[in-house]
Amino acid sequence: MSKVIAINAGSSSLKFQLFEMPSEDVITKGLVERIGLTDSVFTISVNGEKVTEISDIPDHGLAVKILLSKLIDLGIIESFDEITGIGHRVVHGGEKFNDSVLITDEVIEQLVELSELAPLHNPANIVGIKAFKEILPNVPAVAVFDTAFHQSMPEKSFLYSLPYEYYEDYGIRKYGFHGTSHKYVSERAAELLGRPVEQLRLISCHLGNGASIAAIEGGKSIDTSMGFTPLAGVAMGTRSGNIDPALIPFIMEKTGKSADEVLEVLNKRSGILGVSGFSSDLRDIESAATEGNERAKLALEVFASRIHKYIGSYAARMFGVDAIIFTAGIGENSDTIRARVLQGLEFMGVYWDPALNKVRGKEAFLNYPHSPVKVIVIPTNEEVMIARDVQKLAL
Ligand code: ADP
């Protein structure tokens, strides 16, 4: 028996989940928010109850110290020795990492080099890794990458039709993200279908604040909607998804914004927020649409129609599809988005039952039994994938 902690460090936050392994039972979970600001918030669940404390936590090092000492103070563990492994989510593994890896000093150096590709995310992940390393230097730590699962994409999928030397010289290519989630739901779908993943063609729709679609053939990602960065693909909560690249200089000229400022608009003020004009949260949009708000209805249509198109495109790409999977906040909970995405797909063998589509937040098939293509809701679990990789590589 051992305890493994899965960590997801962001620029001002640190999420954690402590697992008993190999049983995969969740002992506790929580998060630290507003790191580096005043009134930082530490939340941890103890016996199903949330405990919250507010204090100033200036850096990730202190956040880790507080988290670990709380585990002891609250009687969740008796000593740090009980923690036998740490798993860190790392956003970008570039072309170097096609799987999770035991973290060494050399790996940390490589992650620093990769920060050029993910300047918003990798530095925060590295700060989290270093903070744990300082406090628990002898506990093995593993990096689990968002990009790794998509490293199986063939060149025809990952290459942009740009001068080839841009790929060679600068690493400009599609990397894809949410890989840990797409991998988890594809493996789980195979279990639920009772068929080996090697025999399946799956389309996985990870629909949260960030959203991406993946074509998974024989257990391997062969294409995905996100690209060089997580800005590409379908419309998202605040991200535009794919747009005509010529719009960037055009918007710069019209608005007087710099390239960075336009990028900020594409990342933070577009997508569902941009189209609706009032919220990036799908629940707000759904209730406003029910009350007749036209822009909210439009945001729903824009969001769902892009996903619908990707499904057709990826079915063509794999010469068919065995199952379509919905996961993450919207995919797991929103029957209205699922209904719009699946609408009219009977031509390609997707027959789904509106009564089954009412499900929220749990595993369920939405298809009629005779449907050639199955439709499955699977709550994602990136944390358990991280804990499994720690178990595999470090214990
Ligand atoms: P993140 O990418 O931040 O992890 P999540 O996977 O938590 O995001 O998804 C957040 C999105 O899920 C939000 O748009 C939220 O409105 C939506 N969502 C969560 N619960 C529901 C629900 N019951 N019905 C509709 N949408 C929901």
Side-chain angles (χ1 to χ4, degrees), residues 206-210 280-283 286 328-330 333-334 360:
H206 178 111
L207 313 178
N209 283 314
S280 65
D281 191 303
L282 194 85
R283 283 165 291 201
E286 284 183 340
I330 297 170
N333 292 298
S334 174
R360 277 183 197 277

Side-chain angles (χ1 to χ4, degrees), residues 312-327:
S313 141
Y314 285 168
R317 184 78 169 69
M318 295 188 286
F319 306 146
V321 53
D322 297 298
I324 298 167
I325 307 163
F326 288 98
T327 193

